[in-house]
Amino acid sequence: MPAKKLQEMIYKLADWNFDIFEVAEMTQRPLSFVGFVCLDAYSKLVDFDKPKLVEFLREIEGSYRKVPYHNSLHGASVARCVYSFCAGCGLAFTQEYMEFTIVLAGLVHDVHHPGLTPAFLSKASMDGEWLSPITPPLEEADMELSLKYNDQSPLENMHCAITFQLLTQDRTGFLHKDDVMAMRKPLVRAILGTDMAKHAETMTRLAALIDNLEHEGESVAVPWHWPAKPPATADEEQRAMWERLYQEEFIMELFLHAADIGNPTLPFPQWVKWNRLVQREFHDQGDRELAEFGELISPPAGFDRNSTVMAEHAFTKGFMQYLCLPLFQKLHDLTQLPCPSSVCRGVNISGCLDNLKKNIEAWEDYKPRREATEPREDDDDDDAQD
């Protein structure tokens, strides 16, 4: 990579509209590049071994599987987005290691993802063995994930386990033991929070946090963090500190989740590329569902490669309008509260929200492109439009 181009990329990483696909074109290791640059930005706050960081990033990148969407480029993109939240939008924490931690969480949050949803893994595991062949990128161990973690965020628990195995090995353990211990709780919480099964609960808690902050100083029936509570012996100062740190962990969880589902907040051409990749992965799962169960167990509009263009279009619009938009709108509302105890007061995500609203409008007139390698009954009506 030319030195000038490299410096331009490094400088632009904090810009929300940065195109991560440019990194993928310039290097075969986009996650290692993004990870090293973004984590190194906090080297004055967190002490770490740079050669071991390089080894850690190589291992993480290599552990991501060759699936259409949940691959190392997605990990690099999410890490780059949370870095932009911090370095570009103003997200900050009282604990010096927290910004470092959220970037690290972005890098590893989907490591070794099999390209299958927890619903598929759960149903397949109940039959004892899979009927369809287990070939790369799938592994025999995938059959056990739902049983191993009792259907409780099986993928996210696996991502956490792999991460801490590497963080505690001599060759890849680039952080001091005390720092790993300090980061463990918020890192695990943030990664587990990317489970889409928790999205509704997260939105409810976010709404409660906003309500509590809007009525700060007043008595509230139920604190936003219920049932968690500070130690019974905590005095007023200790209670305030506990609430601040608990809020910071939740904010980290929120912004990682936002980065994870935030592709529609990127410039439209980037969003279209990401959507094609996730649709390809969903179609692959749909094929496996038919082979495994004899029927689709996931929404046909998103997972059936023979669904109509309009059905896919509506499926994607629903994701943009009913999952992504409410989250970013609520986050924006939270950042606009003047309350001094709000962790993300003054964080500016208006650019993300503006992109999202424009993209929803643009999607109305956009005609998704069918994959030319996958013949369908309605291909004649599916002219590509970029």
Side-chain angles (χ1 to χ4, degrees):
M1 182 185 299
K4 184 177 180 181
K5 183 67 174 180
L6 177 64
Q7 288 300 321
E8 289 177 357
M9 280 191 173
I10 293 174
Y11 180 75
K12 293 178 180 178
L13 282 177
D15 181 353
W16 184 258
N17 292 335
F18 177 82
D19 189 350
I20 196 69
F21 291 102
E22 291 185 9
V23 178
E25 292 173 0
M26 297 294 292
T27 174
Q28 294 182 345
R29 293 186 175 274
L31 184 141
S32 294
F33 171 78
V34 169
F36 189 88
V37 172
C38 294
L39 292 177
D40 189 54
Y42 302 104
S43 60
K44 293 183 179 180
L45 301 176
V46 179
D47 184 32
F48 57 86
D49 186 316
K50 291 186 179 182
K52 289 187 177 183
L53 170 60
V54 171
E55 291 300 317
F56 173 85
L57 293 172
R58 285 176 178 169
E59 285 292 330
I60 289 294
E61 187 143 35
S63 294
Y64 272 92
R65 305 193 209 183
K66 304 297 183 182
V67 294
Y69 180 76
H70 288 100
N71 50 45
S72 64
L73 185 61
H74 170 65
S77 178
V78 172
R80 205 283 312 173
C81 285
V82 291
Y83 175 73
S84 181
F85 280 142
C86 296
C89 302
L91 180 64
F93 304 91
T94 55
Q95 300 296 308
E96 292 181 338
Y97 59 82
M98 293 287 268
E99 291 173 44
F100 181 97
T101 304
I102 193 174
V103 173
L104 178 59
L107 292 167
V108 304
H109 82 283
D110 269 332
V111 64
H112 212 56
H113 197 294
L116 298 170
T117 63
F120 178 94
L121 296 173
S122 179
K123 183 171 176 58
S125 68
M126 296 306 294
D127 296 332
E129 63 177 320
W130 290 5
L131 301 178
S132 49
I134 298 178
T135 56
L138 298 183
E139 302 171 356
E140 292 285 345
D142 297 332
M143 297 176 59
E144 307 296 330
L145 287 174
S146 286
L147 294 175
K148 181 177 182 179
Y149 295 111
N150 300 310
D151 285 329
Q152 301 299 306
S153 304
L155 294 174
E156 291 74 19
N157 273 294
M158 175 189 66
H159 307 324
C160 290
I162 291 173
T163 298
F164 282 97
Q165 286 171 1
L166 291 175
L167 286 175
T168 54
Q169 292 177 6
D170 182 65
R171 185 173 62 85
T172 52
F174 68 98
L175 291 166
H176 294 294
K177 182 178 179 180
D178 289 346
D179 288 332
V180 173
M181 292 178 63
M183 294 178 191
R184 181 174 174 82
K185 181 183 175 184
L187 185 63
V188 169
R189 177 174 175 176
I191 294 173
L192 294 182
T194 62
D195 184 354
M196 285 302 299
K198 297 182 177 180
H199 178 79
E201 177 186 343
T202 298
M203 292 297 294
T204 299
R205 194 173 294 277
L206 173 56
L209 173 60
I210 293 173
D211 181 73
N212 279 198
L213 291 173
E214 287 178 332
H215 298 89
E216 188 173 40
E218 303 175 21
S219 177
V220 293
V222 180
W224 71 269
H225 48 72
W226 186 88
K229 57 185 179 180
T233 58
D235 57 29
E236 185 175 346
E237 182 178 350
Q238 291 170 331
R239 181 185 181 87
M241 178 61 70
W242 180 90
E243 292 181 350
R244 174 75 183 189
L245 294 179
Y246 199 84
Q247 185 188 157
E248 289 194 348
E249 290 181 7
F250 181 55
I251 294 302
M252 180 185 295
E253 178 185 338
L254 282 172
F255 276 88
L256 180 63
H257 180 44
D260 192 26
I261 69 170
N263 289 329
T265 69
L266 298 169
F268 193 73
Q270 295 182 46
W271 156 234
V272 170
K273 288 181 181 180
W274 283 118
N275 186 59
R276 287 175 184 160
L277 294 172
V278 77
Q279 288 262 261
R280 191 181 304 167
E281 189 168 296
F282 283 175
H283 290 162
D284 288 348
Q285 175 170 321
D287 293 344
R288 185 166 283 273
E289 288 180 5
L290 292 173
E292 194 71 33
F293 314 126
E295 61 179 356
L296 287 170
I297 63 170
S298 301
F303 288 76
D304 183 0
R305 70 170 68 252
N306 292 311
S307 65
T308 66
V309 170
M310 294 310 298
E312 285 186 3
H313 188 273
F315 180 80
T316 300
K317 180 183 175 182
F319 169 74
M320 299 171 75
Q321 198 158 14
Y322 301 116
L323 286 175
C324 196
L325 180 59
L327 174 59
F328 274 84
Q329 185 63 67
K330 281 291 185 184
L331 279 178
H332 178 71
D333 294 344
L334 179 62
T335 65
Q336 299 306 298
L337 293 178
C339 177
S341 60
S342 173
V343 168
C344 55
R345 181 181 60 162
V347 175
N348 184 7
I349 62 168
S350 58
C352 312
L353 193 56
D354 289 344
N355 281 352
L356 177 54
K357 291 177 178 178
K358 291 176 182 176
N359 287 347
I360 291 174
E361 292 181 8
W363 193 256
E364 292 284 354
D365 301 321
Y366 181 75
K367 188 177 181 181
R369 185 180 72 184
R370 289 291 194 183
E371 291 291 338
T373 56
E374 298 293 346
R376 307 170 193 240
E377 296 177 357
D378 53 353
D379 269 351
D380 291 340
D381 297 324
D382 293 333
D383 296 329
Q385 180 177 347
D386 289 320

